[in-house]
Amino acid sequence: MDASIPPLPKSPDVPSATSGVPRWLPWVNFGAGALCLLWMIPSWFIVNGMFADLPAEVQPPAVLTYLLTAIPGVAGLALLFAGVCLARRQGYVLCLLASAATLLGGPVLIVGLLNIIQLTRPPVKAAFGRSPS
């Protein structure tokens, strides 16, 4: 009487953690991207508060306020884009560039580094259809 249980067949549409992009990585990108987009609201008030106390002679141009407020938004959109690319396993170079764009600074720096580390692994390159050289 053989009581061994046969192994479950692997589903081709669900990748394992060792054969491609981890399932949690796109979700980390989506969460960090949403937080960056939400951070644009308080950053507007922080930047305006920094410049409000300056005398009129040394006030920076208004475009600087918009630029400093847009930086978290650009990082958030780049992370959302990288999350979509990682989930679909398409656009390897664009996903790598979007992850590199988040290296400009801030708390999303860690997520950008995590993306680049994961994207340079050979199994992940193979999941995107790249040669794992």
Side-chain angles (χ1 to χ4, degrees):
M1 179 190 296
D2 189 15
S4 64
I5 300 173
L8 293 173
K10 288 198 171 200
S11 176
D13 56 336
V14 179
S16 69
T18 59
S19 67
V21 179
R23 282 188 258 169
W24 51 266
L25 191 58
W27 293 104
V28 169
N29 283 286
F30 294 144
L35 286 176
C36 281
L37 290 175
L38 284 175
W39 177 248
M40 283 180 65
I41 298 167
S43 70
W44 171 261
F45 293 107
I46 291 170
V47 170
N48 277 332
M50 285 184 339
F51 296 146
D53 294 337
L54 295 175
E57 298 85 29
V58 292
Q59 280 283 336
V63 73
L64 184 63
T65 304
Y66 296 117
L67 180 66
L68 291 175
T69 304
I71 289 174
V74 169
L77 290 175
L79 281 172
L80 289 175
F81 179 73
V84 169
C85 285
L86 286 168
R88 291 183 179 176
R89 286 153 184 78
Q90 295 176 346
Y92 179 80
V93 174
L94 294 175
C95 186
L96 198 59
L97 288 174
S99 299
T102 62
L103 297 179
L104 294 174
V108 295
L109 173 89
I110 296 168
V111 177
L113 280 174
L114 182 66
N115 283 342
I116 291 174
I117 289 169
Q118 288 291 323
L119 285 169
T120 55
R121 290 181 38 231
V124 176
K125 282 185 178 181
F128 275 91
R130 307 288 247 166
S131 62
S133 57

